[in-house]
Amino acid sequence: MNQPAPDLSPKVSDEIRKTTCYMCACRCGINVHMKGGQVAYIEGNRDHPVNRGVLCAKGSAGIMQHLSPARLRAPLKRVGPRGSGEFEEISWDEALRIATDWLGPLREKAPEKLAFFTGRDQSQSFTGWWAQAFGTPNWAAHGGFCSVNMAAAGIYTMGGAFWEFGQPDWERTKLFLLFGVAEDHDSNPIKMGLGRLKERGARVIGVNPIRSGYNAVADDWVGITPGTDGLFILSLVHELLRAGKIDLGYLIRYTNAPYLVNAQEGPEKGLFLRDADGKPMVRDRRTGQAVAWDAPDIAPDLANGVEIDGVTHLPVFRHLADRYLSEEYAPDNVADRCGVPAARIRAIAAEIARVAFEEEITLDQPWTDFRGVKHDKMVGRPVAMHAMRGVSAHSNGFQTCRALHMLQILIGSIETPGGFRFKPPYPKPPEAHPRPHAKHAPGQPLDGPHLGYPLGPEHLLIEEDGAPKRIDKAFSWEAPLSAHGMMHMVISNAHAGDPYEIDTLFLYMANMAWNSSMNTSKVMEMLTDTTEDGSYRIPRIIYSDAYSSEMVAFADLVLPDTTYLERHDCISLLDRPICEAEALADSIRWPVVAPDRDVRPFQSVLLDLGARLKLPGMVKDDGTPKFSDYADYITHHERRPGVGPLAGFRGNGDGKGRGAPNPDQIARYIENGGFWIDHIPEEAQFYKPWNAAYQDWAVARGLYDSPQPYLFNLWSETLRKFQLAAEGHGDRQPPEYLRARLIETMDPLPIWYPTFTDAETDPAEYPLHALTQRPMAHYHSWGSQNAWLRQIHGHTPLYVSGDIWAEHGFAEGDWATLTSPHGRITLPVVRMDALNACTVWTWNAIAKRRGAWALDKRAPEAEKSSLLNHLIHELLPTKGDGLRWANSDPITGQAAWYDLRVKIEKAPAGQSVSHPAHPPQASPVPKAPQDMALKARV
Amino acid sequence: MHPAPSLILFTVLSGTGFGLLVWLGLGLRAPTGLAAFILFGLGYGLAGAGLIAAAFHLGHPERALKAFTQWRSSWLSREAVLAAATLAVMAPHAAGSVFAATPLPFFGWLGALLALVTIFATSMIYVQIKAVPRWHHWSTPPVFLLAGLAGGAALAGQAILALWLMLALAIAMVVHWMAGDGQFAQAGSTAGTATGLGDLGTVRLLEPPHSGQNYLLREMVHEVGRKHAYKLRLIALGAGAVLPALLLLLFPVGYLVIALALIAHIFGMLAQRWLFFAEAEHVVGLYYGKR
Amino acid sequence: MTSLPEKTQKKLGLVIDLDTCVGCHACVISCKGWNTENYGAPLADLDAYGESPEGTFLNRVHSFEVVREEATPMVVHFPKSCLHCDDAPCVTVCPTGASYKRVEDGIVLVNESDCIGCGLCAWACPYGAREMDGAEKVMKKCTLCVDRIYNENLPEEDREPACVRTCPAGARHFGDLSDPDSDVSQLVAERGGIDLMPEQGTKPVNKYLPPRPRDALEVPDLKPLSAPKTPKTEQAKGFVGWLDRALEKL
Ligand SMILES: Nc1nc2c(c(=O)[nH]1)N[C@H]1C(S)=C(S)[C@@H](COP(=O)(O)OP(=O)(O)OC[C@H]3O[C@@H](n4cnc5c(=O)[nH]c(N)nc54)[C@H](O)[C@@H]3O)O[C@H]1N2
Ligand SMILES: Nc1nc2c(c(=O)[nH]1)N[C@H]1C(S)=C(S)[C@@H](COP(=O)(O)OP(=O)(O)OC[C@H]3O[C@@H](n4cnc5c(=O)[nH]c(N)nc54)[C@H](O)[C@@H]3O)O[C@H]1N2
Ligand code: SF4
Ligand code: SF4
Ligand code: SF4
Ligand code: SF4
Ligand code: SF4
Ligand SMILES: [Mo]
């Protein structure tokens, strides 16, 4: 036969440029294939530590993001009313002059009247530095509405969290439990990890009300009722304790389980017994005496306490055992509440115990601990766990995350082979983090970094009278440990002038008028609301976006950003780097193509603005700009001597972590594929918080200035200090109305309490939980402008369980109305049986406002989609005490997205457009092309 | 399947045209001169119009000639070759009849045979598609053949023949429908076999691969309501076969009666063909939760 | 070219692991990207930013739910592209010879310059593996990345299909299914790989690995340290007793 002979070896591209993906916070390495100067194809970089060649749908679709018709073209000045979307394009000169004219006088008079908040910013160490130089206390990024519960609970408990701070030991784990994750930041690594587990046939248990995605491949699915993970986890703890399946040696060596806790009523109750040097003490079993925790050659006791001067001091572990052995946590007593049969809880506990203690693994790798004791092996308990927003985005999230870490610690699986491992620069205990700062003065920089980890009420950012110092009320009694700030409260507080009024709201890459705000419709009103004299309540809004998002329409001045393929970026160790558990790593982005329009990289614009405002660190002595652009800053800025944004190729090019600025640094990164990696020595790979070799290595790399070994906090003295204050001790006292809540929730040991919404909602009226999940092929609101991705997820059906389907007589093609105490939305329904029976859900952030994102006004994103955000208020419904309580975690202020309760009704026949249907915004960009069929020109 | 107007017209028109040519070729009616011109003209015209309609269905009609190459394996290619051959072989007979009042029976008979096989080939384009169980059945060719022959006979003014063929067509249609209704189940393809997950439990589509449209859905997943289909079947049967038969049986044969019978027949056949496509479920629907 | 080869020298194909696929659509998009830029016409998207976008994709991921009698329901993510059937009906129906199955490796391809866009091959395919391109009006299908797997301009390790290279979970495998010793054949043997719609008689080359048993965790309950019926305080006491003893042994 005579068959055609296609060209089997076509030329793939002229050149490959290696940079870093930006379609999500995972930050994979990409090979950008160039043809004729155009981007032709994007694939994963095989050498990259994060993704090792693989790439997700968003990453591969980056080319369409770059070619998006929604891209802004030039700076914009508002000409119509706010929210209308009517703008005129202006020059950068004019834009920067306007910004300087607004901000200059503000800095001289009242720098706190600038609120600068930066969304899912990948340059936080830079924007924070800028805000500090400006002198406003009001800066933070998105963590408060995202996952601060996870981050803070992890740091306070063990000096690192899941999230981006650590990862399961994918190569060795034999049992993996995944709680409340649909996609996560570590998007590709989790998929790669699951793939590795599947290859070995290791068991995966998914705890999630919804069985899709990762939970679909889980061998066992626990369709838990939302908000009850804490109870489920404590029940597992109960079972393990009851059977003695805990790693006592680990608890004694690496945790504060043996610390003696004062049991006497009074200002010392619940605090550690300390020696004259302030060192916490333990009971030495050999002598029965209380000695400093790190005294040599002792056998710390976990069972018995000491009595000194008539005061009993019991070890932390005794408190712990007493609490969780209580029948309250027995599987039979939590099963109904959690929606998980008791037998299943028992089976999972038994499986955890079996794998942890019967399938123990050992590595023949000697190591030395910080006490100087040599160990000839590394012993691992191959049970790993991971959790994300399903656990953290609840008002009991902080304590639930703590409970989960306690479970991991009890079986000795943190930082041991087969368990959970930190990624450098973690571990880092709260003590090694800064405290938050808010001291501002006209014309002066702030007194220190904005965010940090308070160790007691003394570190709160409050005025004498208890009023919050920050516009978002972070680090106030309402959210004492709000380590990431509370971006979701900024607009409503600024609108209310509570705690004070601001002048300029400066936002960067956060779609606050849409999917990242609770109570979206009302937020749009707040942004456009005027005072008696007709001026806007929030006087000025500056916004930087790269695309025509909903938020753009609400800005007075828009600073258009480049795309990720057109600018320099650094993914820095000072921020959230791309490290892996076995290596230190950071990376860059660099302009692989030049912008084809009048847009500028936001970071360079910020430096320009800083120089015009003469901010310290941004101008030379003669007043001229210190940095020509962001690339210059990345190369030459030093945070501490020898430590800068990038850790690799410092000094003469050999410097790792420390070293003088190297003018060739960026070139070296490009040469190296856009990243730098430095492997942790073998003997330092595990037990990092206590491993002398790791500690020394971390100091050498500039992660710490001196070794920082520490013990895990099963008992959190910090939390206890806030409780003591609430009990009336100490000179910083919370307002009366918060006392009871602080006492209840800031327990030094993990607890579970029903989410505030659950506790206050009449289950007969709002019987259902409503959740969102992130689609793997979309990133928040940006996916919809992508011609490829929007075909995959172009609308948001509401998935309801078979029971609800039957109860309401739904049929294919029907629509439903969901009502919360706060609002109402209408959506098409779809049946899903693999779903917790009292839960409904839809995709997150697919819904769009008409007119935004260069989409047709009749796009399904606008007509067949809605946001659950319309149903969620930033405050809880009134309960008659005259107060509006925040819909957040009481400890960290994390937005409680997933506490939502709703009722469902069948929508009247004939429904064809979703509710609410906001009127269209004018589009600041031209109409999108009709059809696309692209090939780069060779 | 999507009932594309181009394909409905193609099968109905060319079927009728080739049906007429069968009768003209066989010399059942042997007109000459103007009458021959009109009749052969109709035959060629309908067959040609059908083929042109079919070309509208092509993405690249300019490459249509390539479709003549694969007659060894492809029924579509065979249909094209046969149609062309029919028209070519019949040409001397037609020309002889029109211009020289001399029918050439050899060409006529051969042409008639080819025309018949052409209609059969048209039907085989559908019969061969195993993925559409309703089509993939012996009852499909009789419907195509009888429809073409009945329409052709009526056009040729052969009332008695047309009457019998109409009745046969009615039976063929009913058999085709009745058999067809069970064909999908008979084929044994289910969501379970389509996914290989059938042994685990009841398989149901949760989410289609794209919320957007696609070619497959537009082309192959077409749903007609049961009631709607039932009504159309009555129309197809009534107008396409029963009514013409009654007209031919009850009224003296004349141009008006034949014209009325033909109009009813064509109308009915359009309905039949619409249903032929619209009711045909493609197994790919199983991947889209259809059926 | 419409006749099928009696036998092909190899049977290159994909093995897709339904136990592992998380339904991320990465393979869908990398396929779209590669094939837009390579083999034949770019894959078009009509009404790309409009009310009803419709693009050409050679690989799509469906999600199915399996409702079981005795156990909780399952969800299975299900990627599907051309299965490169041995008895490919799409090839034999093609009137132009544009569709063909390669003798050397069994890959089923469309020679776009011969395709008249009649759509018949798409009808003939039971699996929905062929799509007519809305702009170019030629038939599009998975090429098994024939322009990657032999491409001398690509490094050796990259000579595999784009979808396989990108799959984050490692749920896609590529190889020669005619060679019983190949990795893919062994995987199929080990995990009981299956054909889709065998009753259609197409003899697909691609195989699917079924999900492993779900929700089958069976472990005996943990044995409590003290008798389960003891009252709360007793239980705590029993625990401290055990703890004391256990610490002595450390
Ligand atoms: N593709 C993609 N990747 C992303 C993003 C994106 O938009 N798209 N966004 C990034 C961002 S900003 C973030 S914060 C991360 C978030 O990553 P994830 O934490 O994976 O985000 P969610 O989609 O919110 O998933 C929450 C999951 O928790 C479940 N859940 C809800 N309530 C409960 C509960 O009470 N208990 C349990 N056990 N589960 C519960 C939900 O069913 C859902 O599966 O993803 C990041 N990565
Ligand atoms: N109902 C519900 N709501 C939620 C959540 C939920 O789970 N459920 N999750 C919450 C969480 S965790 C998060 S993190 C938020 C996320 O919400 P947002 O942070 O608001 O996320 P995006 O929608 O991606 O908005 C980011 C903005 O950045 C812009 N952008 C993209 N690229 C660039 C660029 O290169 N430069 C600049 N300057 N701008 C750019 C985009 O155009 C977009 O307008 O949503 C929150 N909202
Ligand atoms: S996970 Fe996907 S979107 Fe995120 S950085 Fe990696 S490739 Fe890009
Ligand atoms: S890339 Fe892999 S895991 Fe993702 S949908 Fe495709 S086959 Fe499944
Ligand atoms: S899957 Fe469909 S297109 Fe591919 S070879 Fe088989 S029949 Fe042909
Ligand atoms: S569409 Fe093209 S490839 Fe398919 S059968 Fe027709 S000519 Fe052949
Ligand atoms: S083998 Fe190539 S063409 Fe086929 S589905 Fe995979 S990426 Fe697409
Ligand atoms: Mo987030």
Side-chain angles (χ1 to χ4, degrees), chain C residues 16 20-28 59 61 79 163 166-172:
Chain C
I16 292 170
T20 303
C21 171
V22 297
C24 70
H25 297 263
C27 50
V28 174
N59 175 32
V61 180
C163 57
T166 214
C167 173
R172 308 176 72 88

Side-chain angles (χ1 to χ4, degrees), chain A residues 346-684:
Chain A
R346 282 193 289 268
I348 292 169
E351 178 68 359
I352 293 174
R354 188 188 67 76
V355 178
F357 299 104
E358 291 169 32
E359 298 206 12
E360 171 180 295
I361 49 180
T362 48
L363 306 186
D364 283 323
Q365 174 63 56
W367 66 286
T368 306
D369 70 28
F370 66 99
R371 296 177 172 97
V373 180
K374 291 190 181 351
H375 305 259
D376 52 5
K377 283 196 292 271
M378 290 181 166
V379 179
R381 312 242 168 258
V383 180
M385 302 181 195
H386 183 84
M388 246 311 264
R389 293 185 62 263
V391 162
S392 69
H394 287 289
S395 55
N396 56 15
F398 177 86
Q399 287 286 17
T400 299
C401 297
R402 270 191 41 78
L404 188 51
H405 293 316
M406 175 173 75
L407 169 62
Q408 295 173 286
I409 291 169
L410 287 174
I411 58 168
S413 77
I414 300 279
E415 268 299 326
T416 57
F420 171 86
R421 309 173 67 186
F422 294 118
K423 304 178 189 179
Y426 298 91
K428 204 168 165 187
E431 291 77 10
H433 286 262
R435 281 348 104 209
H437 292 78
K439 204 164 141 223
H440 55 85
Q444 295 299 313
L446 202 69
D447 62 335
H450 299 85
L451 304 179
Y453 289 82
L455 300 176
E458 65 278 20
H459 295 135
L460 290 179
L461 299 182
I462 48 178
E463 307 287 355
E464 287 298 302
D465 63 358
K469 285 190 176 170
R470 287 175 54 108
I471 185 71
D472 58 358
K473 306 192 187 180
F475 307 108
S476 72
W477 287 107
E478 283 185 26
L481 307 184
S482 40
H484 290 175
M486 292 160 73
M487 186 160 180
H488 51 296
M489 300 307 290
V490 172
I491 293 174
S492 54
N493 291 354
H495 174 259
D498 171 22
Y500 45 83
E501 287 175 348
I502 61 159
D503 176 86
T504 302
L505 178 62
F506 187 2
L507 296 175
Y508 163 57
M509 64 167 307
N511 204 356
M512 296 302 290
W514 197 247
N515 55 289
S516 49
S517 279
M518 292 176 155
N519 196 5
T520 299
S521 303
K522 191 75 195 191
V523 164
M524 292 190 280
E525 283 171 32
M526 292 177 190
L527 292 170
T528 50
D529 194 19
T530 52
T531 57
E532 246 103 88
D533 66 2
S535 57
Y536 287 117
R537 254 184 210 285
I538 300 176
R540 286 166 173 155
I541 300 179
I542 307 178
Y543 181 45
S544 166
D545 201 313
Y547 308 101
S548 171
S549 67
E550 284 85 354
M551 181 64 210
V552 165
F554 294 89
D556 305 318
L557 177 66
V558 178
L559 306 173
D561 205 348
T562 57
T563 72
Y564 73 119
L565 297 177
E566 299 167 334
R567 64 171 178 250
H568 283 103
D569 258 325
C570 73
I571 295 109
S572 166
L573 289 179
L574 303 176
D575 203 326
R576 294 199 189 141
I578 55 159
C579 303
E580 291 290 296
E582 61 274 349
L584 193 63
D586 62 8
S587 60
I588 62 159
R589 284 186 200 93
W590 55 286
V592 300
V593 280
D596 61 351
R597 57 193 73 208
D598 200 12
V599 295
R600 291 187 187 173
F602 176 70
Q603 288 80 2
S604 294
V605 169
L606 211 52
L607 283 168
D608 187 340
L609 195 56
R612 288 168 195 247
L613 294 167
K614 307 260 178 281
L615 300 187
M618 284 169 240
V619 281
K620 296 186 192 142
D621 293 342
D622 65 0
T624 58
K626 187 160 171 200
F627 303 108
S628 56
D629 61 6
Y630 192 46
D632 192 16
Y633 163 91
I634 294 172
T635 312
H636 292 107
H637 172 75
E638 284 177 281
R639 207 38 78 89
R640 310 194 305 276
V643 175
L646 289 175
F649 312 110
R650 298 194 68 83
N652 60 4
D654 299 339
K656 298 176 178 181
R658 291 179 192 269
N662 172 7
D664 285 338
Q665 193 179 31
I666 287 182
R668 295 294 303 275
Y669 270 80
I670 293 174
E671 223 174 274
N672 199 49
F675 66 93
W676 169 80
I677 187 160
D678 179 33
H679 290 273
I680 301 173
E682 284 306 312
E683 55 175 336

